[in-house]
Amino acid sequence: MPSGGFTGPMPRPQAVSIAFGLVLLGIGIVVLMLVLSLVIEYDALTESMAEELAKDGPYTEGELHAATSFTAGLISVIVGVAAGLFLLFGILMRTGRNWARVVLTVLLSFGMLVSILLGALPFGLVIRFLALPLFVVCVFAVGVMFSRSAGPYFDPRARMGSWGA
């Protein structure tokens, strides 16, 4: 005889926790790319800025330093905002929001495209080396989020619990 009553909320599947961990790993790889490229490739950035400034005529060392610092800061802000978005939607996905899983999938797909471009274009060795692991992490994160074991967790009725007959 089936017992009636409220069934509690569904526990978080391990696949969802793994997907969140992969999102965090991807954020870590991107931040590592940024830090290592700014430390190792800063001279290349300075040379690139010098070439751009030379197109407009003579420039001072202060202008070169300002342009290089601004570019490094702008890249850092862009990476920080992107990492924040991945973290936000990763947290929301972890709580069972299906729309956040969809948005995170779009972001991860964009991350896959960017990692392919970073690996194919003539960037520094550090960036090209870390582009492949970033691509793999993005692919696996999407795959795990949409695995069979994770699917029911994103149904609001299953996640919140329901009244049995």
Side-chain angles (χ1 to χ4, degrees):
M1 176 173 189
S3 63
F6 183 74
T7 59
M10 179 179 188
R12 181 180 302 128
Q14 186 178 10
V16 173
S17 297
I18 291 171
F20 181 69
L22 288 170
V23 169
L24 293 179
L25 179 62
I27 291 170
I29 291 172
V30 169
V31 170
L32 182 66
M33 284 173 124
L34 172 69
V35 170
L36 289 178
S37 65
L38 287 179
V39 169
I40 295 171
E41 303 288 335
Y42 194 77
D43 292 337
L45 179 62
T46 303
E47 289 174 19
S48 176
M49 290 295 104
E51 291 172 7
E52 289 300 316
L53 288 174
K55 291 178 182 176
D56 295 334
Y59 60 90
T60 65
E61 196 67 32
E63 290 173 333
L64 177 61
H65 179 69
T68 305
S69 297
F70 175 78
T71 303
L74 182 63
I75 292 169
S76 299
V77 167
I78 291 170
V79 167
V81 168
L85 287 172
F86 276 87
L87 181 61
L88 173 66
F89 288 106
I91 290 170
L92 291 170
M93 178 275 304
R94 190 171 180 244
T95 62
R97 304 297 189 266
N98 192 47
W99 62 268
R101 178 173 67 155
V102 172
V103 171
L104 188 58
T105 301
V106 171
L107 290 174
L108 287 167
S109 299
F110 181 68
M112 288 179 224
L113 177 64
V114 168
S115 66
I116 290 171
L117 292 175
L118 290 175
L121 295 175
F123 286 103
L125 185 61
V126 172
I127 292 175
R128 294 179 78 188
F129 178 74
L130 291 173
L132 178 62
L134 180 61
F135 179 80
V136 171
V137 166
C138 290
V139 168
F140 278 116
V142 171
V144 172
M145 278 192 307
F146 286 92
S147 67
R148 187 175 303 257
S149 63
Y153 183 67
F154 293 99
D155 180 8
R157 294 168 298 212
R159 188 180 73 247
M160 302 305 267
S162 62
W163 290 95

